[in-house]
Amino acid sequence: MTRPKLQSKCRGFVGENLLTILTLIGVFAGGLVGFIIKNSTGEWSKREIMYISFPGEIFLRMLKCLIVPLLVSSITSAIGGLDLSMSSKIATRAICYYFVTTISAVILGICLVTTIRPGDGAQIVTSERSEKTGEEASKVMTPDTLMDLVRNMFTDNIVGATLQQYQTKLEENKTATEPLPLNMWPFKESKRDGSNVLGLVMFSIILGTTIGRMREKGQLLQDFFSTLSEAMMIITSWVIWISPLGVAFLIAAKIIEMESIASTIQSLGWYFLTVMLGLILHGFGTIAVIFFLGTRTLPFRYVAKLSQVLATAFGTGSSSATMPLTIKCLDGMGIDPRVTRFVIPVGATINMDGTALYEAVAALFIAQFRKVDYTFGNIVAVSITATAASIGAAGIPQAGLVTMVMVLDTVGLPAKDVSLIIAVDWLLDRFRTTINVMCDALGTILVNHLSKKDLASVDRLNAEPHELLELGANGHEKE
């Protein structure tokens, strides 16, 4: 190859992947700067850390601002653009994929934690902040968490769902002469800040199905949501150019905030390695096998194209915030928008493989640390509860700590033991979010591959005569 051609190819490669390269540089630069500042200066105040994280916070706020309009418009337009039978086929394939990968993640996590046994002999020192967080998390009951999940799914106010979500709140009876069990505490209905994504997804699915059944009468609404979805994607394309800078500052601030990197790794090293090994084996082993069985191709070239999305997921620690970028990236890879705009938002809400694996490992790790024997029945219960808890976990940073209470309750451990793993949770949260996002993206590609013939038939049934010629020219079979 001649030198000019090589230079031309290099320039072309850099031009096509500039944003990805800059984002990866941002991840490594943020980590490096954070470690240097952490090890070369004294302790930083919360205000000083806030100054460092400010550019990253602005980037995260921009992404979160896009979540609600993009989620509602994407799901509604995707389902409304298909007939009911096609929507149900795509939904069935997606849910089967989610179920298989989540169960596989939980089983893998349990196998690793029972083999490696990281909790045996662990020396864990908890900080005052960890203890406080553990106490707050402990004021939750498993039945309340499960019922709140269903309540949020069927929201009573769709406008309110964009701002808040339902939560059953326990109130300690301070007049009691002796401590009461949690099931004796008074409770009240309350709202907590944060979009009720589950309720919005359910409403969007129902609305999209209704528009699809209305056919010509619903075309005006269909056009509105399709246009809104396109507009959100254009805004996303503007926002993503800030991602290298935002990710760098978010990671740097988080590393500076850590109390002691060395002591954290020393006390929770085997636990950290067990979770990391599970995430790597699941992401590049289990999911790769499932993807290959469905498509007869290896997923690694797709993963390479998703590197900018995965770097952003690591930096933000939020699968919901990364959702606009994931959709934009898959659109660029030629995945059918109707599949992408349905599978990705739903996956970002209910498909949390990394979280399911982490919660199973964490529960049994704490049981080993506390010298609590667990039976085969306990392991099965942990599997089921970790799967349910991962569905209920919000797509926001460290949301798994709340649902961890359910899993600990299954093993008969006090909920405040969550404090034992908080020291490394922020870092593991970023790795498991990255796996969650990768699983959603590969699942979308898999569902798109399995649905190609069905989508093509829908195109031909709904197309005008002049459009059929275009479809045939694009590689579809002519009528």
Side-chain angles (χ1 to χ4, degrees), residues 316-373:
T316 60
S318 171
S319 53
S320 294
T322 314
M323 184 181 68
L325 278 71
T326 310
I327 293 175
K328 182 74 177 173
C329 182
L330 290 173
D331 284 350
M333 290 163 63
I335 306 303
D336 194 301
R338 293 167 295 181
V339 177
T340 304
R341 281 155 177 72
F342 173 63
V343 178
I344 288 296
V346 174
T349 308
I350 66 172
N351 184 42
M352 303 285 181
D353 291 0
T355 304
L357 184 147
Y358 147 82
E359 293 191 341
V361 171
L364 297 181
F365 165 77
I366 294 172
Q368 291 168 1
F369 176 73
R370 295 296 190 194
K371 302 295 188 290
V372 174
D373 294 328

Side-chain angles (χ1 to χ4, degrees), residues 19-280:
L19 185 59
T20 301
I21 294 169
L22 290 175
T23 306
L24 292 172
I25 291 173
V27 171
F28 290 111
L32 182 62
V33 170
F35 276 112
I36 291 173
I37 294 176
K38 179 74 176 174
N39 294 320
S40 61
T41 60
E43 188 174 347
W44 284 50
S45 67
K46 286 186 177 180
R47 176 165 288 278
E48 290 171 329
I49 294 173
M50 183 265 288
Y51 292 150
I52 293 289
S53 65
F54 180 73
E57 180 191 347
I58 297 302
F59 168 64
L60 202 52
R61 290 169 74 91
M62 288 180 178
L63 284 179
K64 288 182 177 180
C65 179
L66 297 172
I67 292 173
V68 171
L70 180 61
L71 184 144
V72 174
S73 61
S74 295
I75 296 180
T76 305
S77 62
I79 295 180
L82 298 168
D83 60 21
L84 189 59
S85 62
M86 187 66 250
S87 298
S88 61
K89 285 180 182 178
I90 292 176
T92 301
R93 287 165 183 152
I95 290 171
C96 287
Y97 171 80
Y98 296 154
F99 179 78
V100 170
T101 55
T102 303
I103 291 295
S104 300
V106 172
I107 293 173
L108 175 61
I110 289 174
C111 290
L112 288 174
V113 76
T114 52
T115 303
I116 300 174
R117 299 193 65 83
D120 291 348
Q123 301 294 324
I124 304 175
V125 179
T126 58
S127 65
E128 185 178 339
R129 186 172 63 179
S130 296
E131 292 285 358
K132 184 178 178 182
T133 308
E135 289 292 337
E136 290 174 356
S138 66
K139 296 175 183 177
V140 177
M141 289 188 63
T142 299
D144 290 344
T145 305
L146 292 172
M147 287 190 289
D148 287 347
L149 177 65
V150 178
R151 290 189 184 104
N152 282 317
M153 194 180 298
F154 300 97
T155 180
D156 60 346
N157 186 338
I158 191 62
V159 177
T162 62
L163 302 172
Q164 295 176 315
Q165 49 188 296
Y166 184 95
Q167 183 182 31
T168 301
K169 195 170 184 179
L170 299 178
E171 295 182 324
E172 188 174 2
N173 188 352
K174 296 182 179 179
T175 60
T177 56
E178 56 183 27
L180 296 173
L182 283 179
N183 60 356
M184 298 293 290
W185 283 27
F187 63 91
K188 68 174 183 178
E189 299 177 0
S190 66
K191 302 283 186 179
R192 69 180 180 198
D193 291 338
S195 301
N196 176 9
V197 178
L198 207 56
L200 294 173
V201 166
M202 181 62 70
F203 176 80
S204 302
I205 290 173
I206 294 171
L207 180 59
T209 303
T210 305
I211 291 173
R213 291 178 67 91
M214 291 174 68
R215 298 185 181 275
E216 292 81 7
K217 289 182 181 180
Q219 191 59 45
L220 189 61
L221 268 178
Q222 175 65 19
D223 291 342
F224 168 75
F225 284 110
S226 297
T227 305
L228 179 60
S229 178
E230 289 179 19
M232 290 301 102
M233 293 314 301
I234 292 172
I235 297 175
T236 299
S237 66
W238 298 341
V239 172
I240 58 176
W241 283 100
I242 312 172
S243 59
L245 191 66
V247 167
F249 279 96
L250 283 172
I251 292 176
K254 203 65 188 178
I255 289 176
I256 295 169
E257 191 181 5
M258 285 183 68
E259 294 177 2
S260 173
I261 299 172
S263 62
T264 297
I265 294 175
Q266 183 179 358
S267 62
L268 290 166
W270 281 108
Y271 164 71
F272 182 87
L273 290 174
T274 302
V275 177
M276 283 300 301
L277 179 61
L279 293 175
I280 292 170

